[in-house]
Structures are given as structure tokens and as C-alpha cells.
Amino acid sequence: MTKFYAHLTEIHTLIVELEPLDLSEKEKNHLSQLIDSNLDAVIMDAILSELSEEDKMKFLRQLETGDHIQTWNFLQHKVADIEEKIKTVSKNLKEKLRQDIKEAHLRVNDKK
Amino acid sequence: MKLFKKKNPRYEFLRKRWIARHKENSQNLLDKHLRHVALGSVGSLVLLGTHNVSLPASPQLALNVGNQTTLNLESSQNRLLATELVDKLPLDNLVLSKTQEDNITSLINKDLGIKVKAEIAGKRLNRTYGLIGGEQHLYRYPGDTIYEHAKDAQDWAMYSNAGMAPGLGAWGYFAPSKEQFSSEDDLRERYYIAVQTFLSPGFSERVAEYRDFYKYRKMLVVNPTTGQAVVADIADAGPSEWTGKHLGGSPEVMQELGLAGGPRKGAVLYFFIDDSQKDIPLGPVKIKGELSKTI
């Protein structure tokens, strides 16, 4: 199922940086899933940090329905600028992952 | 002699680093927001189940996640359909008789709960059982790129290799601009099939009428070997007869049919869906054994 925040997270620039790593299909799939899992965790943390305890439960129940429109209606009603907050944490994480990819290149080259 | 696989050091580095990051992020999530939530409550279950807080630790796990391509073999009505179809299909050719079509559509209705037909309003395709091949992504609006098609990183990894078709689909762009591109348009491209509209009986005499009939018409495509099924829409015409194939599926359709690997082709059943109520969504069809629909 498409994640409800998919339209806010641009990932193709990060994926492009994985291409030169000479990965097999399995390796590419696994790393891609790790990217998604990390992104999911930081975005969920960003959202839940803005909600009261009661609203957290309401949000999670709403999420379970899979109705993205209602989920966004709820969040936008409860949290100001929620979309910008999600974009910010997403951008910060992607920068860290990008640095990791660079480090992967450098480490391997150093060992040659 | 013991054999061993050479490890890719870049992959190993990133795998360990990103698993560690994920563990830290997940622990943070649990500590900050779910510590006080009782075990078994909806909060923790939704987070852990729905949002990948559980960790993809190995490549093997990663291969079977997402897009609901795995079937519960013990309770799946899809699997039941596959076993019931074993003796209903011709062995030496792919052309179904009227009796065979009627038997098969009845089985699909019974097992998947979807009303399908070989013919609607006097119109039918040249066949209902044929070889499907993998197609490429279609341009959805002016300026569309392969990068825009990926919903997330895993989507990219699974579907980007198919690339973009050089031309437009049979009906042109799905939307006149990116701004007007809707979720319905998105699903239409995602789960599209190309069928041999031009080989339909009566097509050449009434091209405009048939074009309107086929445009985004929903069809159920079934892999009879596994019972995997997907509700798809007709968004392109083809393939040419000389290819030896009878229809084409988008990368996502092929994935949901279990035909995305290897030669990317296989024999499938395909029927029109009676969707007069417009309530049958595009995408994979997975029915639980207790007949509760998961569509």
C-alpha cells in the first residue's frame, strides 16, 4: 500500500546514488527497504511528537483504515505545518544516508 | 570443498550502518511514544505491523515484502481457485471453448467474489486465455519521468528497471498535466494492461465505438498456476501478433501475478469485470479463506 506521506518524500536522488555501488538485485532491494524503514520511523516519530496521547491513538486508528484523505484531514487539523515538518525530517535523514553512501565509497577505496 | 560467496563490501557497510540506524530510530519511537501503551493495544500493533518498525534484517526477507505478492497458502481463496482450475484449462493450446469460459468465470465468481464476463455489450476480445509479457511504464502526463513513478525506495528497486515505453499509451497521456494528475490516473497506469483490441471481432467496422468501450475498461487477470489475480485496466493496445504474446502487463501487474522474474511471461486468464457500480478497485486481489474480502 502507498504510504500516506509518499507525495512529500522525494527519494529518487538518493536511489540514483546507489546505482554506482555495483549491487546485485537482492542487495539493492534490501538497501531500498532499509531506506524506506528508516524514513518511516523518523516520519512517524515527527508526527507522534506533535500529538497528545489521546490524539496519538486516534491517529494510529485512522492510519489503520488506509484512508489517506481522512488521515491528512486529521493531521492538518491537529498540527500546524505538518507537511513541512515531514519534509524537514525526511530531508535530514536523506542527507545522513547520503553521507553513509559517500563513506561506503571512500572506505572501500581506502582499503584498495 | 566448502564454497563461500564473496561479499560486496559497500553493501555490507551500508547494510550494517542502516540496520543500526533503524534500530536506533525504532527504539526512539517506542521509548518516546509507546512505552506507556499496554502490550496488545492498537497503537503498538499498528506501528509494529503496518509501518515496518520490525526490521528487514536479511535480503531474503526483503524479497517478499510489499505489494502483497505472497499468499497465505493455508487459507487463501486464490490458492483454492488455482487448484480448481487445474483440470479446466486446455493442455495443448490457449483457446477456450464457450463451455470452458463459462466454467472458469463461475469458479472465479465463487472463489474470488468478482463477477467476470468474457463478453460485455456484444463485445469481446479475440481470446480470454493467453500469454502475457512484461511491458514498460507509460508516460502519465507531459514531462513525466521514471523517477516520478516510484512511490518509495523499494518501489524504485522493484519497478524502475522496466524503464519507460518510448511512445504514449493507446489513449495518450493519463492526465493533461502534472497538476491535474489524480490518484485514479496513478492507479490506472500502475495496474495497466495492453490487449489486442484490434483483433476483437467487429473492431475494424466500428473503431470509435470499440475505442470508447476499451478505454480504461477493467479486467481481471488471473495466473491459473498460483491463483494470483489483479484488477487491471486497459490502457494500451498490443502486443503485435508476431510476438507470440497475447497481452502485456505493467511491471506492477506482472509482480502481482508472480510473473515479474525470469522471462517475464506466462499463461493467464483475462476477463472483463462487471463494474457498473464502480466499486472494484484496481490492484491485487487477495481473498482470505473465510471469504472476507481484503480488497
Side-chain angles (χ1 to χ4, degrees), chain A residues 15 30 36 40 45 53 100, chain B residues 17 21 36 51 56 154 156:
Chain A
I15 295 301
H30 189 214
D36 284 339
D40 210 47
D45 177 44
E53 294 305 316
D100 291 339
Chain B
R17 176 65 66 89
R21 279 197 188 281
H36 62 285
H51 271 264
Q154 194 175 3
W156 173 266

Side-chain angles (χ1 to χ4, degrees), chain B residues 43-98:
Chain B
S44 54
L45 286 175
V46 168
L47 266 184
L48 291 170
T50 309
H51 271 264
N52 283 333
V53 173
S54 56
L55 194 62
S58 74
Q60 193 57 41
L61 274 175
L63 288 175
N64 289 326
V65 295
N67 299 318
Q68 301 133 7
T69 52
T70 54
L71 298 178
N72 181 333
L73 296 181
E74 293 174 4
S75 63
S76 170
Q77 289 295 100
N78 296 69
R79 196 63 186 167
L80 173 63
L81 176 63
T83 56
E84 290 187 323
L85 284 173
V86 165
D87 60 344
K88 305 290 186 304
L89 298 169
L91 295 172
D92 53 353
N93 65 70
L94 297 175
V95 179
L96 299 178
S97 66
K98 179 76 169 55

Side-chain angles (χ1 to χ4, degrees), chain A residues 17-18 21 95-111, chain B residues 9-14 17-18 21:
Chain A
E17 294 183 34
L18 281 179
L21 294 182
E95 189 50 43
K96 289 180 185 173
L97 298 181
R98 194 169 283 121
Q99 290 303 320
D100 291 339
I101 295 173
K102 281 185 187 167
E103 195 175 335
H105 272 293
L106 291 172
R107 281 194 165 213
V108 172
N109 288 337
D110 281 348
K111 283 182 180 176
Chain B
R10 293 186 182 97
Y11 162 70
E12 288 298 321
F13 174 80
L14 287 174
R17 176 65 66 89
W18 289 353
R21 279 197 188 281

Side-chain angles (χ1 to χ4, degrees), chain B residues 193-225:
Chain B
I193 53 173
V195 295
Q196 293 171 322
T197 56
F198 44 89
L199 295 178
S200 293
F203 176 84
S204 55
E205 293 86 14
R206 289 174 287 164
V207 173
E209 181 185 326
Y210 273 72
R211 180 199 60 220
D212 292 342
F213 173 79
Y214 282 126
K215 187 175 180 180
Y216 301 132
R217 178 151 306 263
K218 286 180 183 171
M219 298 197 77
L220 185 72
V221 187
V222 179
N223 180 342
T225 305

